[in-house]
Amino acid sequence: MSTKPIDRLMFAQGGLCFFCQDPLPPSEATVEHLVATANGGTNDFDNCVACCKTLNSLLGHMSLKEKLRVVLNQKGDFKCPKSAQAAAPKTTGSNGVVDRFELVIADLRKRAATRPRTTKTLKSSIKSLFKKQLTEHELESLLGKLKSEGIVNVTGAKVTYEIPAVK
Ligand SMILES: [Zn+2]
């Protein structure tokens, strides 16, 4: 029995997307040819990586040079564009706290005028954002980070926000 190329790649990459290193569900995993087959790239193991479907279609037939530019343009943590179904917040992994922090900020940015006005509602909205998978301790540390970075200002029971602009 032979192993499919995608399975070999997924095994070699520890089940993570080559570009963003997020866990890659089999339904999202595709073979990306670094040098596109349209540009003469081969199916060799060395020319292939497993990555998210959405990113694969975005990279399309770009040259390797253009692809590198796309990756470098992210200036640091590379995040693949995710299709809606794969965009569930990540709550595990070593970067869990940072990812959650970014998610909370993104959520607050999106909510604009409907942001929670009290600590209590802010906490429950963060909890529901993560589908109640946060421990009380994790919630407090998220809130602590939001306060210490000046994004959330608490006066008595009231909460105001200073959401940083999109980078
Ligand atoms: Zn990815």
Side-chain angles (χ1 to χ4, degrees):
M1 202 180 100
S2 64
T3 313
K4 281 192 291 182
I6 186 73
D7 294 333
R8 269 185 80 192
L9 290 166
M10 286 296 283
F11 179 75
Q13 292 171 207
L16 305 179
C17 168
F18 182 80
F19 293 97
C20 67
Q21 298 200 296
D22 271 356
L24 189 52
S27 62
E28 274 295 299
T30 51
V31 176
E32 153 74 9
H33 293 81
L34 293 175
V35 177
T37 43
N39 301 331
T42 67
N43 284 320
D44 286 354
F45 189 73
D46 278 343
N47 188 45
C48 294
V49 299
C51 77
C52 311
K53 240 178 223 174
T54 328
L55 179 70
N56 194 347
S57 62
L58 183 134
L59 294 178
H61 291 168
M62 284 182 195
S63 68
L64 192 52
K65 180 173 165 178
E66 290 170 311
K67 287 176 188 177
L68 269 177
R69 197 65 255 167
V70 169
V71 173
L72 292 170
N73 280 347
Q74 307 294 314
K75 296 186 173 57
D77 273 358
F78 185 85
K79 289 276 173 259
C80 284
K82 294 280 163 68
S83 60
Q85 57 173 24
K90 187 169 86 171
T91 51
T92 52
S94 55
N95 288 329
V97 174
V98 176
D99 290 343
R100 285 179 188 143
F101 184 65
E102 294 297 331
L103 277 165
V104 171
I105 293 175
D107 183 62
L108 289 171
R109 185 181 289 131
K110 204 170 59 191
R111 293 163 66 125
T114 64
R115 284 169 199 151
R117 285 158 205 264
T118 64
T119 325
K120 196 167 162 241
T121 49
L122 175 61
K123 278 187 186 177
S124 63
S125 84
I126 294 176
K127 270 189 195 166
S128 67
L129 179 65
F130 296 102
K131 303 186 171 49
K132 306 199 172 8
Q133 285 176 17
L134 277 189
T135 65
E136 207 57 37
H137 176 76
E138 287 169 328
L139 179 63
E140 288 302 330
S141 76
L142 260 174
L143 207 56
K145 190 161 158 64
L146 286 166
K147 285 186 206 166
S148 71
E149 305 224 349
I151 292 160
V152 167
N153 299 297
V154 180
T155 321
K158 286 238 163 82
V159 179
T160 55
Y161 302 89
E162 278 187 52
I163 311 291
V166 183
K167 273 176 244 164

